[in-house]
Amino acid sequence: MIRGPIPELTAFGHRLDAAARTVQDAQRRALREGSPIPFDLDGDVARQGRHMSLEALRYAVALRSALSTGVVEVPEPSFRISVVVPVLTLLSLSHAPATLDGVLPIPPRMARQLVAKAPAFERVLTDPISGAYLASASRTYRPTAAMGENLRLIDPICAVPTCARNVMTVGEADHIEEFDLEHPARGGPTSLDNLHRLCRTHHRMKTSGRLDPERDPVTGVTRWRIGDAAVSEVAANTDLVTRELAARLEHAWEQYHADIEVEALTRLGALDESPDEAADRDEAYRWGLHLTEYYSRPEYDQDDDPGPPPFDPPPRQGPPPF
């Protein structure tokens, strides 16, 4: 997200639009003359024989143009996208959605295409009955790479209740029961059962003692204490479907059922207007015309208003817009 003065951001949008139109005109000329096609980064224009749309060009120009920072050297970005694909979806045996960064559902076909282009991918083992992650442990303070990947899937959003920060990339692993660096056997273990991911702000609050989580080893429920002010209990995430994704999928499922119900009611005529409703609508329509015509007159007196004269509404005339 970019925040700034409206005029400057509007001017940037205009420049981006002008750049896209200029490139599109150049592509038209190149196709007409048979010359090299500019900005055909993926070769689609040459293969299809048609210039890119303005929408695609705006995206390409904005995303693939170099950012100038003057003498300041910008390091190569450490960037990652986590795509979680159920194995049955990967094998085209299921149409369950995959997730992007733990919270965004993406279509199965898109997920298969991303996996096909990936140089490697990691298998995450779960319990076949409960769906819980199979626990692993480490004797060191820092989690292993495999544990880190599993932890990102368990807590793609900061584990602190009500925090909505995505910690897939910018986040930190934290021991719920503190790890004892001098005597590892005495402190909390480095295991998935004793780890969660926090945003940097809440990790500092946890380290300073302002947040005090406790996890039940049997139920996996984490109890959060904020001093003496509040207590909140959060159930363990034992599935690839995060709380945020589950809420979105549940909303989509409810909307789907609502659309089916409305379609069925419409088909059966249950939503058709009854004779009484039609009469009420006609009466409201007649009064609307009457008030529109007479209300603005100086001699209009509401107490002496006899009402509109009876007449049939014009053919195909709908109800008034109020």
Side-chain angles (χ1 to χ4, degrees), residues 274-293:
S274 67
D276 292 339
E277 291 173 336
D280 292 341
R281 174 176 56 80
D282 292 342
E283 186 67 15
Y285 174 74
R286 292 194 310 109
W287 270 96
L289 287 181
H290 171 72
L291 293 177
T292 301
E293 183 177 356

Side-chain angles (χ1 to χ4, degrees), residues 155 157-163 172-178 194-199 201-207 209-216 220-237 243:
D155 290 318
I157 302 296
C158 177
V160 173
T162 74
C163 182
E172 300 169 349
D174 173 68
H175 289 75
I176 297 175
E177 181 184 352
E178 296 297 339
N194 190 48
L195 290 170
H196 54 194
R197 282 185 68 81
L198 305 178
C199 65
T201 300
H202 287 131
H203 195 187
R204 288 195 294 268
M205 294 176 63
K206 160 71 165 47
T207 303
R210 286 182 288 174
L211 290 175
D212 184 20
E214 297 177 359
R215 179 167 291 176
D216 189 311
V221 173
T222 303
R223 174 174 294 178
W224 289 86
R225 297 182 183 274
I226 306 176
D228 296 328
V231 176
S232 177
E233 292 186 349
V234 180
N237 179 19
R243 292 186 296 272

Side-chain angles (χ1 to χ4, degrees), residues 139 141 175 177-190:
R139 296 182 179 180
Y141 172 75
H175 289 75
E177 181 184 352
E178 296 297 339
F179 186 89
D180 192 330
L181 294 174
E182 296 183 358
H183 304 284
R186 300 179 183 177
T190 302

Side-chain angles (χ1 to χ4, degrees), residues 27 37 53 66 72 137 143 203 250 293 300 322:
Q27 289 183 348
I37 302 173
S53 66
V72 179
H203 195 187
E250 184 177 5
E293 183 177 356
Y300 176 77
F322 50 79

